[in-house]
Amino acid sequence: MSPAPSPVVLRLILGDQLNVQHHWFGSVDPDVVYVLMEVGQETGHVLHHVQKVTGFFAAMRGFADRLRELGHRVVYIRLDDPDNGQTFASNLARLVRDLGAARFEFQEPDEYRLDVQLREVAEKLGLPLACTGSDHFLTERDTVRNFFSGKKRFLMESFYRDMRRSTGLLMRDGRPVGGKWNFDKQNRRPYDGSVPVPPSPAFDNDVSSISDMLGSVGVRTLGRIEPARLNWPVNRRQSLELLEEFVNNRLAAFGTFEDAMNREHRVLFHSRLSFALNLKLLSPQEVLNRVVAAWDDGRSGITLPQVEGFVRQVLGWREYMRGMYWAFMPGFKKENFFGHTRSLPGFYWTGNTRMACLAHAVGQSLDFGYAHHIQRLMLTGCFALLWGTDPDEVDAWYLGIYMDGIEWAELPNTRGMSQFADGGRVATKPYVCSARYINRMSDYCPGCDYDRRDGAGERACPFNSLYWHFFHRNEALLRGTGRVGTVYATWNRMAWEVKKGLLKRAERLLDCQEL
């Protein structure tokens, strides 16, 4: 008589949990079955960029193959599998039944919605349950909440300094290397061509079969993927190659030009590592270690301001945003400080606008699923705020269009930093600008149909009048905000005729369907 089979442990891996270094995979257990699934509940959650969906699925399929190579048992459910119930709940219920699973385990989801859903699913399955961490972040979910407990302000800089102390990164004898905590003021130069921009690495992943599948099952997407090849890293090897490319070719100029915008060079000296990081193909610790080591060896010509600027983004900003997300969810998704209700202008879906800056930033986003942080904050985000857009619409657009769009990272950056919808928890002021800033930090304004120097005329740059209209209509809400006092001082010094012209121009624009 053959022995009875051992009870199966079913472990769920989400599409942003592709961490082959996770402790789950340290040993092979034939009684553990890992499951990854492509489900309609996620492809339809928001309207996603076609490159984002294909990128996730390509990475997930490759990760499943890698686990099999390591000897693990894996069940992979494709979107077009006939037995796919298109939700985590239905597929897990079927697998528990088919496999005779006696235990269910999952890693902590990084999205509040999925955290709630998976705990409800686990309860309905009625099996012994274990939920473990993702072995990825440098902090816990509640680290930021605990750090700011009892404080009125949630300054990222305070958290960042504490992270530097606790990790020892860029620290010597308890003090910051170079005698300063950050070199932000040195990292605000427009790109002037003085440093050649290296060509972007090409991964050229063939995702045509996934793209065809999306069409065959009727998944709605936005953006473009022509040809059906993906120039994003979809496995750990490619992600490490991208990290090395950044360190060797871009890091030496990263900090100097990290806020610059340029028509010809969409990447400039940015790393493009956020997609690989957010899928957990790379860990933030190994990325930070590699970047700091490149500076520390003293041979690369990489200076401290370049490295510190990058460390601040990953060690400070990324961990801070994740912590702010968990500190204020689910209420964060409902914040609307200004009471904005307008819809996004149509050009956010097409890139068809006479504003050269937004035509480029939106067009680039549709073409590549990518725009760097200043394009997002000071162009697409700024205009949405000046326009008075409903934060729900802004969140959905950002979550859908960008390759790295995962809610824990997107929501605090968009609703908090970009739209000031939380009333100032994340940002100390609304991040809005006129054409003056755009002209200083980019090459967009020369040749644009609109005149950056004009405020009220028919060819005046829309950013100019909408900027003043925003502060005028929100004066009761913003006048007490510490960092905008100089804006209102300037507004108050303007002649009434000048103010009237700016406000009328803005109101004409707000009534306009084409810009």
Side-chain angles (χ1 to χ4, degrees):
M1 183 179 214
S2 59
S6 300
V8 166
V9 176
L10 185 62
R11 287 178 171 173
L12 175 65
I13 302 172
L14 298 177
D16 63 344
Q17 295 176 340
L18 310 184
N19 178 11
V20 75
Q21 298 174 305
H22 191 273
H23 71 267
W24 269 358
F25 312 123
S27 61
V28 174
D29 186 339
D31 297 324
V32 172
V33 177
Y34 295 98
V35 59
L36 295 91
M37 59 182 83
E38 305 165 0
V39 285
Q41 75 160 61
E42 296 306 295
T43 59
H45 176 51
V46 296
L47 187 64
H48 292 287
H49 199 295
V50 61
Q51 293 187 38
K52 181 182 178 184
V53 182
T54 56
F56 262 80
F57 287 0
M60 290 166 63
R61 293 179 183 189
F63 188 75
D65 289 341
R66 179 60 180 146
L67 292 184
R68 292 188 184 105
E69 290 173 0
L70 294 172
H72 299 287
R73 292 176 65 186
V74 179
V75 172
Y76 193 96
I77 301 173
R78 297 195 177 201
L79 193 67
D80 58 352
D81 285 347
D83 293 332
N84 190 341
Q86 301 303 334
T87 67
F88 292 121
S90 59
N91 286 335
L92 287 169
R94 175 174 61 82
L95 287 172
V96 166
R97 182 182 65 250
D98 292 350
L99 296 171
R103 182 177 177 83
F104 175 55
E105 298 182 358
F106 63 96
Q107 297 175 33
E108 282 183 341
D110 289 319
E111 184 172 346
Y112 182 89
R113 170 184 63 95
L114 291 178
D115 190 72
V116 171
Q117 181 186 5
L118 288 182
R119 293 181 190 280
E120 291 175 349
V121 168
E123 185 176 347
K124 290 179 181 178
L125 291 175
L127 299 177
L129 168 70
C131 177
T132 187
S134 65
D135 294 358
H136 177 77
F137 293 97
L138 302 171
T139 55
E140 301 299 326
R141 283 180 176 180
D142 60 357
T143 299
V144 167
R145 179 172 58 242
N146 293 339
F147 180 79
F148 290 109
S149 178
K151 300 176 183 177
K152 294 182 178 180
R153 304 185 71 187
F154 304 87
L155 288 176
M156 193 281 290
E157 181 68 19
S158 301
F159 173 74
Y160 170 56
R161 293 183 184 188
D162 189 69
M163 289 294 290
R164 291 269 297 275
R165 293 187 188 99
S166 65
T167 62
L169 280 170
L170 299 181
M171 299 288 291
R172 287 193 184 135
D173 300 324
R175 298 180 61 81
V177 173
K180 294 172 62 176
W181 287 103
N182 77 62
F183 295 83
D184 189 44
K185 291 183 179 179
Q186 294 175 233
N187 295 344
R188 298 176 183 172
R189 280 179 53 187
Y191 180 63
D192 56 8
S194 59
V195 181
V197 178
S200 295
F203 296 111
D204 205 28
N205 293 296
D206 186 349
V207 293
S208 55
S209 62
I210 298 176
S211 183
D212 291 343
M213 179 196 69
L214 297 179
S216 69
V217 298
V219 174
R220 292 180 61 243
T221 58
L222 59 84
R224 296 177 274 269
I225 183 168
E226 295 178 348
R229 290 184 178 274
L230 190 72
N231 188 19
W232 288 91
V234 296
N235 55 49
R236 180 163 170 79
R237 176 184 60 78
Q238 291 180 346
S239 301
L240 288 169
E241 288 177 7
L242 189 61
L243 173 58
E244 287 303 305
E245 192 279 336
F246 169 65
V247 168
N248 293 326
N249 300 332
R250 299 176 196 274
L251 179 58
F254 166 77
T256 302
F257 301 112
E258 66 177 301
D259 285 2
M261 298 175 283
N262 186 269
R263 292 177 190 249
E264 183 181 356
H265 304 291
R266 67 178 184 274
V267 176
L268 280 172
F269 301 98
H270 292 271
S271 72
R272 284 204 310 150
L273 289 170
S274 56
F275 178 67
L277 277 166
N278 289 357
L279 267 62
K280 302 181 180 60
L281 295 167
L282 295 176
S283 77
Q285 187 67 66
E286 69 183 325
V287 170
L288 289 165
N289 289 346
R290 180 67 185 93
V291 166
V292 172
W295 163 75
D296 206 29
D297 69 13
R299 296 173 297 174
S300 58
I302 299 168
T303 62
L304 180 59
Q306 316 304 320
V307 172
E308 188 280 320
F310 186 85
V311 168
R312 189 172 355 114
Q313 286 192 357
V314 178
L315 179 67
W317 196 248
R318 188 171 186 266
E319 296 286 329
Y320 168 79
M321 283 299 190
R322 186 236 185 182
M324 292 294 282
Y325 176 81
W326 285 106
F328 295 105
M329 284 296 286
F332 213 150
K333 286 195 75 166
K334 301 175 183 177
E335 300 277 12
N336 191 352
F337 178 69
F338 296 112
H340 285 165
T341 59
R342 293 172 62 87
S343 295
L344 277 173
F347 65 76
Y348 276 76
W349 310 101
T350 65
N352 297 328
T353 170
R354 292 164 54 208
M355 289 178 283
C357 56
L358 284 167
H360 184 268
V362 174
Q364 171 183 299
S365 301
L366 292 168
D367 286 339
F368 305 106
Y370 172 81
H372 69 67
H373 67 287
I374 293 298
Q375 291 172 308
R376 299 188 198 192
L377 179 64
M378 302 307 294
L379 294 181
T380 53
C382 171
F383 194 87
L385 180 54
L386 297 179
W387 193 251
T389 311
D390 187 330
D392 287 349
E393 289 209 13
V394 183
D395 282 338
W397 187 81
Y398 275 94
L399 185 61
I401 199 167
Y402 291 117
M403 293 293 293
D404 57 8
I406 298 177
E407 191 179 78
W408 69 263
E410 173 275 321
L411 185 70
N413 274 288
T414 300
R415 193 168 290 244
M417 181 72 171
S418 170
Q419 300 304 293
F420 204 77
D422 64 350
R425 278 200 206 102
V426 172
T428 55
K429 66 174 183 178
Y431 276 85
V432 291
C433 69
S434 66
R436 182 180 179 183
Y437 173 86
I438 298 169
N439 182 61
R440 184 170 75 249
M441 295 306 300
S442 76
D443 61 354
Y444 293 138
C445 294
C448 179
D449 284 352
Y450 291 105
D451 185 351
R452 65 177 175 82
R453 294 174 292 268
D454 193 1
E458 287 303 313
R459 287 191 59 248
C461 175
F463 276 90
N464 291 336
S465 59
L466 290 174
Y467 174 88
W468 290 113
H469 191 277
F470 168 81
F471 281 106
H472 173 72
R473 71 177 185 261
N474 292 305
E475 184 170 2
L477 293 170
L478 292 176
R479 181 166 282 282
T481 303
R483 295 184 65 194
V484 299
T486 56
V487 175
Y488 285 108
T490 301
W491 179 247
N492 290 337
R493 288 195 298 269
M494 288 185 191
W496 171 240
E497 288 301 316
V498 174
K499 291 183 181 180
K500 186 166 66 172
L502 288 166
L503 296 177
K504 284 187 176 181
R505 166 64 171 163
E507 286 159 9
R508 289 196 302 271
L509 289 168
L510 291 168
D511 288 336
C512 184
Q513 298 302 310
E514 295 184 7
L515 295 169

